[in-house]
Amino acid sequence: MAIVIDQLSDEESFDEDDAETENRAFAAEAQRIKSNLLPTKSRGQYEKAYSAFIHWKTENRRSSSEDDLLVYFDKLSALYKPPTLWSHWSKLKSLMILKENINLDQYLLLKNLLKIKSKGYKLKKSAVF
């Protein structure tokens, strides 16, 4: 009877090892799929916008909370015009969903800040030949 119990525990541990290996394989496959979700042509721009935010976040010892993003975008608004702010928001939104599982669409105060910064902005049109 003891032999049967030993065999069962060996089989159970073997099944657990198989399940762990299978889980790692699925995680690797999911990571590969996630990396292909970004546009191939502009992937570098997305990564650059995200790394700039991460650099700011670590430099200021902040998190990815809505309050911290409000401060970050307020600082960016001193450097960039509203269309560029929206572009940064869109790039960050895509990568934060993939890397941090945070959806910036849910940060309504951040969207309101961007709308307020866009208010009264007149787009410059180039002269037509």
Side-chain angles (χ1 to χ4, degrees), residues 6 9 59 61 107:
D6 287 341
S9 64
E59 189 176 83
R61 297 185 194 132
Y107 290 173

Side-chain angles (χ1 to χ4, degrees), residues 2 7 13 28 31 43 45 49 54 63 71-72 87 101 103-104 108 110 112 117:
Q7 287 176 346
S13 67
Q31 187 61 35
R43 180 173 295 161
Q45 293 175 353
I54 295 300
S63 66
V71 173
Y72 177 69
S87 176
N101 202 24
N103 187 356
L104 292 186
L108 299 179
L110 179 58
N112 283 340
K117 297 289 182 184

Side-chain angles (χ1 to χ4, degrees), residues 19-32:
E20 188 176 325
T21 303
E22 188 174 312
N23 285 341
R24 279 193 221 132
F26 269 82
E29 180 71 10
Q31 187 61 35
R32 185 190 62 78

Side-chain angles (χ1 to χ4, degrees), residues 52-94:
F53 171 67
I54 295 300
H55 176 72
W56 177 86
K57 187 169 86 166
T58 55
E59 189 176 83
N60 294 293
R61 297 185 194 132
R62 306 308 310 164
S63 66
S64 295
S65 70
E66 185 172 21
D67 290 342
D68 295 335
L69 282 160
L70 282 169
V71 173
Y72 177 69
F73 274 92
D74 190 54
K75 302 272 186 207
L76 284 181
S77 70
L79 302 172
Y80 300 111
K81 294 181 179 177
T84 307
L85 290 177
W86 281 105
S87 176
H88 276 281
W89 177 82
S90 177
K91 292 171 190 172
L92 272 181
K93 180 180 129 184
S94 296

Side-chain angles (χ1 to χ4, degrees), residues 101-117:
N101 202 24
I102 296 174
N103 187 356
L104 292 186
D105 274 330
Q106 295 175 348
Y107 290 173
L108 299 179
L109 292 175
L110 179 58
K111 284 177 110 175
N112 283 340
L113 174 73
L114 293 175
K115 287 178 185 178
I116 288 169
K117 297 289 182 184

